[in-house]
Structures are given as C-alpha cells and as structure tokens.
Amino acid sequence: MNEPLWTKNFILVSLTNFIIMLSMYLLLVTIGGYAVSEYHVSTSLAGLVSGIFIVGSLFGRFWAGKYIDILGQKKILVIGGIIFTATTALYFLSSNLPLLLAARFLNGIGSGIASTATGTIAAFITPVDRRGEGISYFSMSTVLSTAIGPFLGMFLLQFITYQQLFIICFIIAVVALSFIPLIKIAPHIEPVKSNMPKGFHLGDFIDKNALPIGIVVLITCTAYSSVLSFISFFTKENNLVTAGSFFFLVYAITVLISRPITGRMMDTKGTNVVMIPSFISFIIGLALLSITHNALLLWISAVFIGFGYGNFQSIAQATAVKVTEPHKIGLATSTFFICLDFALGFGPYVLGAVIPTTGMHGLYGVMSFVVVIGLIAYIFLHGKKAHLYR
C-alpha cells in the first residue's frame, strides 16, 4: 500500500509556504508603484526596489543551504519565519528610499531561508516512492501564490492605501509564523550535525549532484522570467489588458489540473516521460505568444506555458532531490532555488535590454529558442542518465 501523502505535517508545510509566498507576491508587483508615488523615483529605481528582494532571497538560500543539514529543517524554518515576519514590519519604518531598499533586501533573506526550509521539509516527509507526486502537490502552493498574490495586490490597491497593504502583509506573515510550531519533524529524519571545515567552500552552498539540473533551471527559468516580468507590457501593447488579467489564472488552472498526473508519472515512468513533453509545450507556448494578437490565442499560449513551465519547475525540483544523497536534500533544494531565483531575479534586467531590438513579440520568439537550448542541456546533463535515478 502507498504511504499517505496528505498528512497533517504536509498540509501545514504547504500552507505555510503558500502564505509566505502570497505575502511576497503581494508586494513584488506593487512595491515599485509605491516607490514611484512615495519617493518619485525613476522606473529603473522602482525595478531595483522590487528586484532587490530576489537578491536578498538568494543570500538567504545560500545561508540556509549551508546550515539546513547541520541545524535541522525545523530550526531553519523558525529562523526564516521570524526574520520574514520582523522585516515585513520594517516597511512601516521605511521613511526614505535607502530604508525601503534595506527592508526589501532583509525581507528577501527571510523569505529565502523560510521557503528553502519548507521545500526541504516537504521533500523529507513525502514517501520516497511518491516524491515526484508529493513535490508536485507541494509546489502548487507556490503556483497558487503567484496567481493570487499579484491579482490580490493590484485589486486591493483600488480600495486601500499602501500602508494598509503593508498591514495586511504583516498579518499574513504572522499567520505563517503561527503555523510553524505546529509542524512536527520526526527525529529520525532530522539531519545529524557534521564536522564542516572552516572557510569558504563552494560545496557548502551548492550541491554538485543537483548542479546539472540547476543549470537547466537557470536557462529555462530565464525564459519564463520574460513572461513573469513583461506580460503586462505585452498585453497593454496589444490592447489585451482585460484578457491579460486572466493569463495567470488560465496558467494556474492548467498547472493545478496537470501536476498531480505528471508528478505520479515521474514516479512510475521516469523523469524523461514528463520533462521532454514539458519542454516541447513550453516552446510551443512561447512561440504562440510571439504571434499573439487576440485574447483566444493569448489564453491558449497560457495553457501550453502552464503545462510546459508549470510542470518543468516541479519535476526539476523533484529531480534535484532524487539525484543527491539523502543527507544533502536540504542543500540540493537550496541549489535548485538559487538557480531559480537567479534566473527570475536577474533575467528581466538582461532581457529588458533586448526588447528595444526585438520588440515584445520578437522577445518571446527568442525565448522559445532559449527553451530549446534548455531542452538540449537537459538531455545531455540529465536526460541520458535519468534511468539511473528511478
């Protein structure tokens, strides 16, 4: 018989991750507007205010990746939860731009530490023979936050002030923190302290076994950053603002329907059976986006991107866990998220310089070729030996 997946701990960890990510995405899409209206900064500085959160998250993930297998997942989650909640309160004290940037950076550190811990705990408490399915379900908590957070943030600002939005985010962070003591980690799966050599060692922060799939994530998620960061500009340019507001809803529904199926397929049939079709679907979705001029085609592209990238992300995370040693699951999870954050955080800055040359439609055409490169990298870095990790 299959071991149970939907345990109390699994639900609590998924819910905690969802709430933390919800608070993150509520501000990620609105804080730039706050910086412009409150401090009259340029759009580039507003982008910095938004993006420095991801830089902080990277720092948090590096630290968590090094110490999670020494201190234990629960302690790291408590530390991350406290930092995230305390730094969310700093937004009330951000009376000038430098203080706001500092608050965003520190808030990102807390988010990076906490979400690395939740991802690691979810992998540990999921039955080994259902890990792909379990991580697929867990990662839906992030998908829901990416769909609900931006929508809720933009909707609420029609009726409330930024200060009131900060209060809501702080309350959300407190709720997440209150769930953490309820999560129980069995003693036999808590990592044992090891004698770590002093000084800087890359292996303390990056798991070498997870790095190949991490490189694939870096390439592929850079392409997705173009969707995350520029789809609003794209829809405005094509007079599809109303239809564009439903893009991520269609994306999220597609992921929610497909992930339970693809996660189980990964566990029973292997990684390639799911990963290669996901790449192909993502390529088709971006290619369709590059020729989109109407609402129907926009939503169809969202379906292909949802099935493609949405499943790629969860299967890649499960792969990072599968290829490493049991006592390095925390480090492997951190490695995956470091590559993910780096792509989503810095990708838009690079791609923004490409848009004047390619235009918005041309950008997504170029990104479809970037995913082709990601597929080739996957085949050579992992696909050829995927059968070894069944």
Side-chain angles (χ1 to χ4, degrees):
M1 292 181 63
N2 285 335
E3 293 182 64
L5 181 61
W6 289 99
T7 61
K8 176 185 175 183
N9 280 330
F10 185 82
I11 293 171
L12 283 171
V13 169
S14 299
L15 191 56
T16 301
N17 185 71
F18 167 74
I19 295 172
I20 291 172
M21 292 292 100
L22 180 66
S23 177
M24 165 187 163
Y25 281 103
L26 267 169
L27 290 180
L28 198 63
V29 297
T30 57
I31 199 70
Y34 171 72
V36 171
S37 63
E38 188 73 15
Y39 306 119
H40 310 291
V41 301
S42 65
T43 53
S44 60
L45 271 178
L48 177 63
V49 170
S50 178
I52 200 170
F53 182 97
I54 303 296
V55 179
S57 180
L58 277 170
F59 273 84
R61 293 196 191 283
F62 271 112
W63 184 86
K66 178 175 181 177
Y67 290 104
I68 196 167
D69 293 321
I70 300 173
L71 299 178
Q73 306 101 310
K74 182 66 176 289
K75 288 181 181 178
I76 293 295
L77 180 55
V78 170
I79 292 170
I82 292 173
I83 294 174
F84 182 73
T85 304
T87 53
T88 301
L90 291 179
Y91 290 115
F92 302 115
L93 306 176
S94 303
S95 57
N96 54 56
L97 184 61
L99 287 177
L100 180 62
L101 287 169
R104 291 289 291 163
F105 180 76
L106 294 172
N107 201 212
I109 289 176
S111 173
I113 294 172
S115 56
T116 297
T118 54
T120 303
I121 292 172
F124 261 109
I125 64 179
T126 301
V128 175
D129 61 343
R130 301 183 69 184
R131 188 157 280 163
E133 182 184 7
I135 290 179
S136 291
Y137 279 120
F138 169 78
S139 58
M140 283 195 289
S141 63
T142 300
V143 173
L144 287 173
S145 68
T146 60
I148 296 173
F151 167 77
L152 195 59
M154 297 174 73
F155 176 79
L156 288 174
L157 281 177
Q158 298 178 63
F159 310 100
I160 64 175
T161 66
Y162 283 105
Q163 290 296 322
Q164 290 170 327
L165 185 66
F166 294 153
I167 292 173
I168 291 173
C169 289
F170 179 70
I171 293 172
I172 290 173
V174 171
V175 172
L177 186 62
S178 68
F179 283 150
I180 294 176
L182 303 177
I183 301 170
K184 307 299 180 185
I185 308 298
H188 70 279
I189 64 171
E190 277 288 2
V192 179
K193 291 186 179 181
S194 61
N195 294 320
M196 180 176 289
K198 295 181 179 180
F200 179 87
H201 301 276
L202 188 60
D204 298 342
F205 306 94
I206 300 292
D207 179 51
K208 64 179 181 180
N209 295 313
L211 187 57
I213 194 67
I215 293 171
V216 178
V217 167
L218 187 63
I219 297 169
T220 309
C221 293
T222 297
Y224 180 68
S225 74
S226 68
V227 178
L228 200 60
S229 299
F230 301 116
I231 194 68
S232 60
F233 296 99
F234 177 81
T235 55
K236 186 178 294 184
E237 181 180 286
N238 288 275
N239 299 313
L240 295 170
V241 175
T242 303
S245 64
F246 292 97
F247 181 90
F248 285 107
L249 180 62
V250 174
Y251 169 92
I253 291 171
T254 304
V255 176
L256 289 173
I257 293 172
S258 62
R259 269 193 183 175
I261 300 170
T262 56
R264 190 60 186 157
M265 285 179 65
M266 176 188 176
D267 290 329
T268 57
K269 304 292 185 181
T271 309
N272 290 346
V273 173
V274 180
M275 192 68 97
I276 292 175
S278 296
F279 271 108
I280 294 171
S281 181
F282 192 16
I283 292 166
I284 293 172
L286 288 170
L288 287 175
L289 204 54
S290 72
I291 59 171
T292 290
H293 291 280
N294 60 68
L296 180 60
L297 201 54
L298 180 70
W299 294 334
I300 292 173
S301 70
V303 172
F304 277 99
I305 292 172
F307 181 82
Y309 176 78
N311 284 289
F312 164 81
Q313 181 182 335
S314 62
I315 299 303
Q317 183 179 350
T319 299
V321 171
K322 277 179 175 284
V323 300
T324 196
E325 303 161 67
H327 67 282
K328 288 187 175 182
I329 286 180
L331 187 60
T333 302
S334 174
T335 301
F336 166 82
F337 279 115
I338 285 169
C339 294
L340 177 69
D341 279 355
F342 195 90
L344 297 183
F346 293 99
Y349 292 104
V350 177
L351 300 180
V354 175
I355 292 174
T357 302
T358 63
M360 293 303 303
H361 287 87
L363 172 69
Y364 292 119
V366 172
M367 290 303 99
S368 67
F369 284 105
V370 170
V371 180
V372 171
I373 296 172
L375 172 57
I376 295 170
Y378 168 77
I379 292 171
F380 283 98
L381 293 175
H382 180 79
K384 286 186 174 182
K385 55 184 179 181
H387 63 280
L388 299 175
Y389 302 104
R390 286 288 300 277

